[in-house]
Amino acid sequence: MENQNQLIDSFGRVHNNLRISVTDRCNIRCFYCMPSEDVQFVHRSKIMSFEEIVRFVRLVAPLGVNKIRLTGGEPLVRKDVPALVKMLAEIPGIQDIGITTNGILLPQYAQQLYDAGLRRINISLDALNAEKFKEITRRDEYAKVREGIKSAHAAGFNPVKINAVSIRNMTEEEIIPFGQLARETGAEIRFIEFMPLDADNQWEREKVLFAHEIQEILSRGIMPLVPVEQHDKSAPASNFVFEDGVGRIGFIASISAPFCMSCNRFRLTADGKLRNCLFSLEETDIRELFQKNAPDQQILEAVQSSIAAKKEGHEINTARFIQPDRPMYSIGG
């Protein structure tokens, strides 16, 4: 049976896309991801080594996993990430390696990452106003992020995707400037609805600025957006382009239009826990199996069991929703 060589859950979703958090540490403090003070980081001794990460990817690649995304925290605060990219790029079957970064360290690393085999880059930036950036991130690093975006373009990344979390009564004034940035630079802007993964449990549905509202603001303020055909049906973003063909915009409507039934992703946290969903309440301890010298077959069975137990969806829009104990920085973005 060919299905034995794939990671398929009970709803028939095939999982080929693995997100790996390489650290829970970060050099900014976005309020929707981390507490402002006294952040509880995992002790370095409990973080997955590069060798453990590579071993895990080598095990799951024959099960059809061909896409990897490195996340954090901020992945580039971990030493030698380009070396990890190179190791992953050499694994048979791995076709696509990306990274999600806040961009602050990209002037130093963008070219090294590209040369190591990284081809897809997402830069998190929620505001183009320096004061608003400081309010959201609690750090004064806006100029470095803008420099990082330039470095990514210069290194050869195309497209450079910019992820902007949208929050009601906070980021409305950023929408038109982001649309103009897409038109002027060729960067692809992706607006992400605010999700309940903040460290302080302050999320409320009323704070979500919905994708359809952002689309209306852009259409009124710049020009109408027209949908782009989706080649990858499992991609979380709905993609649009301005009517004149200049400027690509994506919407990740996790709250207003969940895409759970086409989800192909699973996650490995920095401390080696496997999660079958961003909002999962259960984890499988892969690192502990490595520490116990568990045979490969036992590890693979643990992965298959985790995927098989994946729920139908995240249930954010129901009374049944329970926010995970881990905030975003601890799970991996």
Side-chain angles (χ1 to χ4, degrees), residues 134-175:
K134 193 173 177 181
E135 181 187 344
I136 293 170
T137 64
R138 304 165 175 145
R139 296 292 185 272
D140 195 6
E141 303 281 14
Y142 176 72
K144 287 184 185 168
V145 179
R146 291 305 300 263
E147 198 57 43
I149 293 169
K150 286 182 189 163
S151 302
H153 282 296
F157 289 101
N158 184 28
V160 172
K161 293 183 180 178
I162 296 174
N163 292 348
V165 174
S166 299
I167 301 150
R168 192 176 301 283
N169 299 324
M170 181 171 276
T171 64
E172 286 90 341
E173 290 174 6
E174 304 301 318
I175 293 168

Side-chain angles (χ1 to χ4, degrees), residues 196-226:
L197 286 164
D198 58 310
D200 299 325
N201 286 327
Q202 297 296 304
W203 183 88
E204 295 168 356
R205 195 178 175 82
E206 291 69 39
K207 294 178 182 172
V208 180
L209 186 56
F210 294 117
H212 69 88
E213 298 174 282
I214 302 166
Q215 186 177 342
E216 284 166 17
I217 292 168
L218 287 167
S219 294
R220 280 200 313 270
I222 298 179
M223 70 176 71
L225 287 160
V226 293

Side-chain angles (χ1 to χ4, degrees), residues 96-114:
D96 187 316
I97 305 174
I99 200 166
T100 300
T101 170
N102 60 34
I104 291 168
L105 295 171
L106 277 180
Q108 187 180 340
Y109 289 118
Q111 194 64 57
Q112 289 180 46
L113 289 164
Y114 191 88

